């Protein structure tokens, strides 16, 4: 399975996807981009699809042996050229 970075799209519409849970990025091991979004959504307890509409970018062909799926309380900024969705910086 591949390692995916889940992030808000780098478009003006991406700003609207910010959520009250503060979950704006995730790093998950999944078989496909759609499965990565599903896995990321499962990480945030008490939220209903916080990563729906986000972008899944493959960052590695396989996850490292010690990888644990996780989400970020905030944006993953400038990781492999990906910038905050909807922000100029």
């Amino acid at each position: 399975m591949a390692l995916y970075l889940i992030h808000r799209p780098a478009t003006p519409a991406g700003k609207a996807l910010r959520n009250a849970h503060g979950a704006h990025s995730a790093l998950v091991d999944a078989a496909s981009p759609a499965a990565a979004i599903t896995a990321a959504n499962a990480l945030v307890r008490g939220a209903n699809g916080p990563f729906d509409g986000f972008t899944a970018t493959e960052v590695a062909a396989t996850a490292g042996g010690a990888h644990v799926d996780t989400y970020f309380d905030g944006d993953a900024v400038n990781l492999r050229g990906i910038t905050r969705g909807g922000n100029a910086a």
Side-chain angles (χ1 to χ4, degrees):
M1 290 196 289
L3 187 62
Y4 287 93
L5 175 67
I6 312 303
H7 57 93
R8 290 182 294 131
T11 64
K15 187 173 184 179
L17 293 174
R18 292 182 79 78
N19 58 63
H21 295 282
H24 303 306
S25 306
L27 196 59
V28 297
D29 187 20
S32 69
I37 299 288
T38 300
N41 281 335
L43 293 172
V44 186
R45 294 186 182 128
N48 187 15
F51 294 106
D52 290 347
F54 279 46
T55 300
T57 301
E58 185 176 331
V59 293
T62 58
H67 170 74
V68 175
D69 290 349
T70 189
Y71 75 91
F72 302 91
D73 280 340
D75 294 316
V77 178
N78 293 330
L79 181 63
R80 293 191 58 148
I82 299 165
T83 58
R84 283 177 259 181
N87 294 333

